[in-house]
Amino acid sequence: MWAEVLRSHWGIGATLQPLDGEYDLNYLAKSPEGDAYVLKVMRPGCDPALIDMQIQALAHVAKAAPALPLPRVLQTPEGVSVITAPDGDGNLRLVWVQQALAGQCYATFSPHSQSLIQDLGAKSGGLAAAMREFTHPGLMRDFKWNPVQADWIKSNIDVIKDPARRKRLLEVCAAFTAIKSALTTLPVQAIHNDLNDYNILVDLAGDAPCISGLIDLGDICAAPRICDLATAAAYVVLDHPTPQTALCAIVSGYHATNPLTEAEIDMLWPLLQMRLAVSVVNSTLMARKNPDDPYITISQAPAWRFLETPVDALLRFRLRTACGLPLDNPAARVAQWLDTARGGFAEVIGETLTDAPMGALSVEAATNPRDPFEITDAEAASLGADQFEPSDIWLGYYGEPRLIYTAPAFRKGQWKASNRRTVHLGVDVFAPAGREICAPMAGTVAFTENRTGRLDYGGMVILRHETPQGDIFHTMYGHLDPDSIAHLQDAQRIEHGEVIAALGADDCNGGWAPHLHFQLALTLDGMGTDWPGVADPDELDVWGAICPNPAALLNLPDAHVAHVAPDAVGVLATRQAHFGSNLVLSYTDPVMLLRGWRHHLFDAWGRPYLDAYNNVPHVGHAHPRIQAVVADQLKRMNSNTRYLHPAQTAFAEKLLAKLPPALSVCWFVNSGSEANELALRLARAATGARGIVTPDHGYHGNTTGAIDISAYKFNAPGGVGQPDWVELVDLPDDYRGAHRRDNPDSGARYAAQVDAAVARLADKGHKPAAFIAETFPSVGGQIIPPPGYLGGVYRRIRAAGGVCIADEVQTGLGRLGSHYFAFEAQGVQPDIVVLGKPIGNGHPLGVVITTPDIAAAFSKGPEFFSTFGGSTLSCRVGATLLDIVDEEGLMQNAKAMGARLKEGLEQLAAKTPLIGDVRGMGLFIGAELVTDQTTRAPATRAASYIVNRMKEERILMGREGPHDNILKIRPPLTIDADGIEMLLDRLGAVLSETGAQP
Ligand code: PMP
């Protein structure tokens, strides 16, 4: 019947679908043309003034801020916005219509990212700004959701039966009462007043989700604007994994469009808690009226959980600094005073530091520690030893990200690749142990302690100082000799320049090279005497404000000791200006990585990433044995194959020992592409034929000759096109899971395609010289061909006079876990084997191995020479790599870790229809994403979303396949259980996000 009302009054024919609503009937109305509306049928007896107020408010906002995503009200052709119509019971109802907005409820959308929350802040700030001038007689409302009157709950608190919870609510009420008088002095204006998570819409248009609707002005009233922000914030923090960062995001977003005062920011937390308190009391009262509705109380759980978690002591500072405001007035005055007093402080080590050199210990500059997860005692005790003598005086940077803080206390999450605190909040003064330390200005002793933990401070002192204006601040001195501070008493007066301590040696200072850690704090609120000396790079706003650069107290300019972060934006701009744009960067927001260790990489801020993508560092990033052998050989000589060298034959012998005896002759080149080109030359020399058979989508190649046989490159848009001497065969459809499920003979069937390809070559006047393929095609998406496939192919090619080339670049050297080379798993023996990238662990190296007969045929031709191929250095790297795989048991590790990974992915696949297939062997694994399990249509967009999101979760993985819909997991063979479990855990979370849904 309401559809008829819509048609007769607005002239809109539409089908209706009910929407949720507390009192009123709301319908989503969809017209056959695809237009969508919200039809609002008010409860009987609804005050028309209330609807009028909403309609006018919406009209006001549409005019004042047309870009804001608020619904527009639709008038009837007669120009009427609201009509009256009887319902089935004969009650008269007010009816009005809005244009529907795109998007889904914030409550059901995930993830609630920082940028999305910031957008919500910005748009709600914009809304409040737009409503500032709106007036309406109905705005002064006396009702339970009036935020200034929230303390009505005090007299209803008895409905809460649990005494602990009652006590908690009374505390919240007390905090509200404490700010109430200040709150009531703030200007009032029209506010939305119900920005709860069902009244906020999110749209996933483009790459980044954004707020696409702020709806339901039903609770609009006049109140201070901060109450509006407190309501939105209350729903944003509920169950957010890091509520304080979420709160900072919404507040900074709001502040950007509607600047807040410090006083308002300080009221936010009590108001937010009060809003949640009203919500739990209200719903408990409602539950009493509707005892059969369990939903009412279930929905309280997150609010209670949040009300019962302790408040973050630094919250006030976090919020202020997120808005770019100073901590507070005294802090701002101290900072200013320090600046003017610079030059007049006593020298902390009794001599000027003006000429002391700076020593970088940054992620970018330093290679100590070798293992960024575990600094050794020797490394900690020798910081800077590569640049300075132990007797030198030198300074360490403020604000510098470092990898030396490897103790568990610095790690913030569960995994090795979780966030950690890396950024130095003080300045270091390196000087010999025993050196006396002086107070830069007069003060009193606030705190002393001997912190004996490894990598801690050893002896440390905090001094309290007062500026001439009477403001208090503190300085901290760490890594002192504990004996030298034993005489200091709490509150003891210290004079300007007085000796307070001596530097400790590494046996008493936490284990470090002797140095003073000197740090300034503008407040101790929320921190006390337990100062972090290093901060999480993602929390630098607040920590940089609490502990700013202390250079003034050292009589140095700030810039002198301030670390300058590597400029990823500048690198990107230079790259875009000077590199071809087909040199593709991974990720929508590219990442700059400066250090690596085993299966982890680190960005400039020391944030660790789990590398589940790169197969080139086969035995891990920065492997010490590879480093050592490279350095060693470069100290000696590095030349080519024109001279005898035992390293060359040693590498050849080691490699050949891994291969069937018939494959006994090798050539060394610089890349996989070059190796494949050489393999084709060998095949042609041996057969006298030119034709090549290769799988469609089954093969990589980067240089011209290799592109000729790489269908995915020559058939790509702008590609060179298929040469007439190349014929393609389809890949076994294992990647659609078909052969395993219902097609046991697909190996033989696909192999039979070779005959047709050979016939097509013959039609063009070519005989087959070779079949060339990745044994297990990675480009096709980590395809494991069915048993018997390659056997059938090889037999047919050989019968037609060709030879068989196995590209083992990705699949060789133990990655599969069960076999050293993939051809072993197919039970075949190739005539030519190609190896590339992993064999050099990043050093350019490729190898072609063949039989003596084929080698002899090729050797009849002109001289073969590759200047760098088979250099002394390359050969030593290759030989060392083979040793490492064996000695570290990496093939066995690939088997064990690969099995757990595959099992975990299969468990995820059982939970999400997005994963259509999990396949691969060892650490060569693909997860195929589909939009529909039956048609198996590729979920390309979801795959892109997931790979980008996994990067944000600090995990690198790739995409593969003709449709780029196969998640490619191909880590260094060192990956451990921590890495596998982290990947599965985070992937599970990302798969459930809205953006990952097909
Ligand atoms: N073969 C395979 C299987 C590969 O994966 C690649 C590189 N993606 C190549 C050959 C070409 O190697 P390169 O980049 O060293 O030329």
Side-chain angles (χ1 to χ4, degrees):
M1 75 175 280
W2 298 118
E4 177 50 28
V5 169
L6 181 61
R7 203 196 52 72
S8 60
H9 287 87
W10 278 270
I12 297 171
T15 49
L16 301 191
Q17 182 189 324
L19 297 168
D20 289 341
E22 201 176 338
Y23 306 112
D24 310 313
L25 302 173
N26 288 323
Y27 297 96
L28 181 63
K30 279 196 174 153
S31 75
E33 298 80 47
D35 296 321
Y37 310 89
V38 177
L39 177 70
K40 298 176 79 74
V41 181
M42 297 293 105
R43 59 189 169 272
C46 170
D47 178 3
L50 205 60
I51 308 306
D52 177 66
M53 179 158 64
Q54 292 181 57
I55 289 171
Q56 289 199 32
L58 287 170
H60 178 92
V61 174
K63 208 157 152 217
L68 283 177
L70 268 79
R72 301 289 152 97
V73 177
L74 242 68
Q75 295 188 335
T76 65
E78 294 77 41
V80 177
S81 298
V82 50
I83 60 111
T84 311
D87 65 15
D89 301 331
N91 296 314
L92 282 185
R93 300 252 197 161
L94 297 173
V95 181
W96 54 306
V97 180
Q98 299 176 354
Q99 213 112 40
L101 297 171
Q104 72 180 83
C105 289
Y106 181 89
T108 60
F109 183 89
S110 67
H112 294 155
S113 68
Q114 292 300 100
S115 56
L116 180 64
I117 297 174
Q118 203 150 11
D119 191 37
L120 171 59
K123 286 177 178 151
S124 48
L127 175 57
M131 299 224 292
R132 196 177 300 137
E133 308 298 333
F134 176 66
T135 53
H136 193 279
L139 280 174
M140 300 309 281
R141 291 173 75 179
D142 212 6
F143 71 145
K144 67 182 177 190
W145 297 114
N146 184 325
V148 182
Q149 297 163 3
D151 41 4
W152 65 263
I153 62 168
K154 269 201 261 182
S155 52
N156 288 270
I157 224 115
D158 288 345
V159 295
I160 307 294
K161 291 294 164 240
D162 178 344
R165 287 187 163 177
R166 247 188 345 258
K167 179 163 168 274
R168 179 73 199 107
L169 289 187
L170 287 172
E171 286 164 9
V172 171
C173 288
F176 177 79
T177 308
I179 61 156
K180 192 168 174 181
S181 61
L183 182 66
T184 48
T185 62
L186 293 178
V188 296
Q189 65 157 79
I191 62 168
H192 181 291
N193 196 34
D194 193 20
L195 287 171
N196 76 56
D197 46 359
Y198 285 90
N199 285 342
I200 298 163
L201 302 182
V202 181
D203 196 24
L204 194 68
D207 275 333
C210 68
I211 301 299
S212 59
L214 301 175
I215 59 174
D216 192 357
L217 280 168
D219 286 341
I220 181 173
C221 75
R225 62 178 175 172
I226 190 67
C227 301
D228 211 20
L229 175 57
T231 304
Y235 292 94
V236 160
V237 296
L238 277 196
D239 275 348
H240 195 280
T242 53
Q244 71 273 38
T245 47
L247 201 54
C248 288
I250 190 169
V251 172
S252 71
Y254 192 102
H255 186 74
T257 56
N258 196 353
L260 296 160
T261 65
E262 276 106 335
E264 286 175 306
I265 292 174
D266 289 351
M267 287 181 207
L268 186 68
W269 184 252
L271 288 172
L272 177 164
Q273 295 240 316
M274 197 61 183
R275 167 74 192 206
L276 293 176
V278 172
S279 160
V280 292
V281 172
N282 181 56
S283 56
T284 311
L285 286 169
M286 277 169 52
R288 264 209 325 207
K289 286 191 211 140
N290 308 289
D292 300 333
D293 185 351
Y295 182 76
I296 296 179
T297 35
I298 291 171
S299 66
Q300 294 183 350
W304 275 119
R305 237 187 336 266
F306 192 79
L307 283 168
E308 284 164 355
T309 23
V311 51
D312 168 14
L314 290 173
L315 188 69
R316 175 166 160 252
F317 296 143
R318 287 187 200 280
L319 294 178
R320 287 182 171 212
T321 52
C323 295
L325 298 169
L327 294 182
D328 53 23
N329 292 335
R333 281 197 302 267
V334 171
Q336 217 164 27
W337 177 77
L338 286 172
D339 194 38
T340 55
R342 193 188 312 255
F345 294 104
E347 299 292 347
V348 287
I349 60 158
E351 69 179 77
T352 172
L353 294 171
T354 309
D355 297 324
M358 299 300 305
L361 300 173
S362 66
V363 178
E364 184 182 25
T367 53
N368 175 359
R370 196 177 73 162
D371 173 356
F373 294 104
E374 190 61 76
I375 192 170
T376 64
D377 291 347
E379 285 172 328
S382 63
L383 288 185
D386 51 340
Q387 307 169 63
F388 301 102
E389 295 299 325
S391 57
D392 287 347
I393 290 172
W394 59 280
L395 304 177
Y397 285 97
Y398 172 81
E400 184 179 67
R402 300 171 171 179
L403 295 177
I404 60 179
Y405 306 110
T406 64
F410 296 102
R411 208 202 279 185
K412 293 186 68 185
Q414 178 181 7
W415 316 107
K416 272 184 146 178
S418 296
N419 261 17
R420 52 198 258 186
R421 296 189 287 122
T422 56
V423 185
H424 194 227
L425 292 174
V427 168
D428 294 314
V429 184
F430 283 81
R435 180 81 184 211
E436 287 182 335
I437 300 301
C438 313
M441 68 181 281
T444 54
V445 175
F447 185 72
T448 65
E449 193 177 12
N450 182 13
R451 298 176 42 150
T452 54
R454 178 171 185 260
L455 306 182
D456 208 325
Y457 283 128
M460 68 91 102
V461 172
I462 296 175
L463 298 185
R464 176 182 194 273
H465 310 278
E466 193 173 335
T467 67
Q469 293 94 338
D471 294 313
I472 304 300
F473 68 96
H474 291 77
T475 50
M476 190 251 268
Y477 309 78
H479 309 302
L480 306 175
D481 179 347
D483 292 340
S484 75
I485 59 170
H487 69 284
L488 294 176
Q489 306 288 321
D490 271 359
Q492 174 180 334
R493 167 111 190 130
I494 302 289
E495 297 307 327
H496 175 100
E498 183 179 329
V499 173
I500 51 166
L503 282 189
D506 61 4
D507 58 0
C508 66
N509 75 356
W512 301 100
H515 71 284
L516 171 69
H517 172 92
F518 178 66
Q519 190 170 338
L520 161 68
L522 298 185
T523 177
L524 297 190
D525 286 358
M527 177 168 79
T529 54
D530 193 18
W531 303 19
V534 274
D536 181 340
D538 296 335
E539 295 194 343
L540 273 189
D541 273 355
V542 67
W543 285 112
I546 295 175
C547 297
N549 188 336
L553 286 152
L554 302 173
N555 299 318
L556 296 171
D558 282 358
H560 187 80
V561 298
H563 169 76
V564 179
D567 173 19
V569 176
V571 169
L572 178 61
T574 309
R575 177 177 159 128
Q576 281 163 344
H578 300 299
F579 293 180
S581 60
N582 58 349
L583 198 67
V584 174
L585 270 170
S586 294
Y587 304 115
T588 7
D589 177 19
V591 47
M592 186 160 94
L593 300 164
L594 300 182
R595 278 288 296 280
W597 180 254
R598 287 166 67 84
H599 45 281
H600 288 94
L601 287 160
F602 295 83
D603 74 6
W605 290 97
R607 298 185 188 102
Y609 288 79
L610 173 69
D611 186 357
Y613 174 72
N614 287 294
N615 61 341
V616 178
H618 193 64
V619 297
H621 294 278
H623 197 291
R625 283 177 69 183
I626 304 277
Q627 294 170 37
V629 82
V630 170
D632 180 73
Q633 192 55 42
L634 289 181
K635 276 185 241 168
R636 298 164 195 278
M637 56 86 82
N638 185 22
S639 187
N640 57 53
T641 45
R642 289 225 160 95
Y643 308 106
L644 289 176
H645 197 291
Q648 289 157 347
T649 44
F651 176 39
E653 284 177 334
K654 225 171 231 183
L655 187 58
L656 293 175
K658 298 285 186 194
L659 286 152
L663 295 167
S664 61
V665 184
C666 29
W667 282 267
F668 302 129
V669 291
N670 305 289
S671 71
S673 300
E674 198 186 347
N676 276 322
E677 287 177 43
L678 176 59
L680 295 188
R681 287 176 64 194
L682 293 177
R684 285 173 174 155
T687 59
R690 186 164 165 73
I692 301 292
V693 178
T694 187
D696 192 355
H697 274 297
Y699 182 75
H700 291 258
N702 298 319
T703 58
T704 313
I707 287 173
D708 280 343
I709 47 163
S710 173
Y712 104 103
K713 290 231 165 133
F714 66 58
N715 279 337
V720 292
Q722 182 170 345
D724 79 325
W725 45 268
V726 170
E727 275 303 328
L728 302 178
V729 288
D730 289 346
L731 279 179
D733 59 2
D734 181 44
Y735 66 99
R736 295 201 175 275
H739 95 90
R740 242 172 312 164
R741 283 185 261 280
D742 48 30
N743 219 349
D745 64 343
S746 77
R749 200 157 45 78
Y750 278 88
Q753 290 189 8
V754 167
D755 289 336
V758 168
R760 289 197 300 275
L761 279 176
D763 286 347
K764 294 182 283 184
H766 292 299
K767 288 192 175 132
F771 172 81
I772 183 167
E774 284 191 84
T775 312
F776 293 170
S778 67
V779 173
Q782 325 299 93
I783 296 171
I784 308 299
Y789 170 66
L790 273 190
V793 170
Y794 280 19
R795 198 158 26 78
R796 287 175 168 83
I797 287 289
R798 285 173 178 149
V803 302
C804 300
I805 306 173
D807 178 335
E808 291 275 349
V809 170
Q810 297 218 19
T811 47
L813 309 178
R815 173 163 295 278
L816 302 177
S818 54
H819 300 84
Y820 203 78
F821 293 105
F823 63 77
E824 297 168 17
Q826 281 273 310
V828 294
Q829 186 164 317
D831 305 300
I832 302 172
V833 171
V834 167
L835 298 177
K837 353 189 240 197
I839 185 84
N841 213 53
H843 183 82
L845 177 56
V847 189
V848 180
I849 307 115
T850 191
T851 60
D853 288 350
I854 293 177
F858 180 62
S859 301
K860 285 193 200 116
E863 174 198 0
F864 176 83
F865 179 62
S866 167
T867 308
F868 301 129
S871 73
T872 339
L873 176 57
S874 301
C875 289
R876 286 201 64 197
V877 169
T880 306
L881 181 119
L882 296 174
D883 285 347
I884 295 171
V885 171
D886 287 350
E887 289 165 28
E888 294 187 5
L890 294 180
M891 180 162 146
Q892 293 74 7
N893 190 57
K895 188 170 185 179
M897 293 302 129
R900 171 63 193 124
L901 174 61
K902 209 168 162 197
E903 173 195 44
L905 290 172
E906 277 159 1
Q907 285 161 352
L908 289 177
K911 281 193 252 163
T912 164
L914 188 61
I915 301 183
D917 192 23
V918 176
R919 56 173 171 264
M921 290 170 76
L923 291 173
F924 181 76
I925 298 285
E928 180 179 342
L929 304 186
V930 295
T931 56
D932 181 314
Q933 291 274 353
T934 327
T935 64
R936 309 185 77 82
T940 304
R941 194 200 53 75
S944 160
Y945 174 86
I946 288 169
V947 167
N948 278 290
R949 277 285 296 122
M950 288 296 275
K951 192 262 303 187
E952 289 172 12
E953 298 289 325
R954 306 277 163 77
I955 299 171
L956 307 179
M957 35 196 252
R959 288 197 287 158
E960 269 294 10
H963 305 289
D964 267 341
N965 65 318
I966 296 152
L967 299 178
K968 170 165 68 171
I969 309 178
R970 207 187 43 178
L973 299 195
T974 53
I975 196 165
D976 55 10
D978 174 271
I980 300 288
E981 296 308 327
M982 177 187 187
L983 187 152
L984 292 171
D985 179 85
R986 298 330 296 147
L987 182 60
V990 170
L991 281 168
S992 70
E993 291 174 359
T994 309
Q997 304 318 308

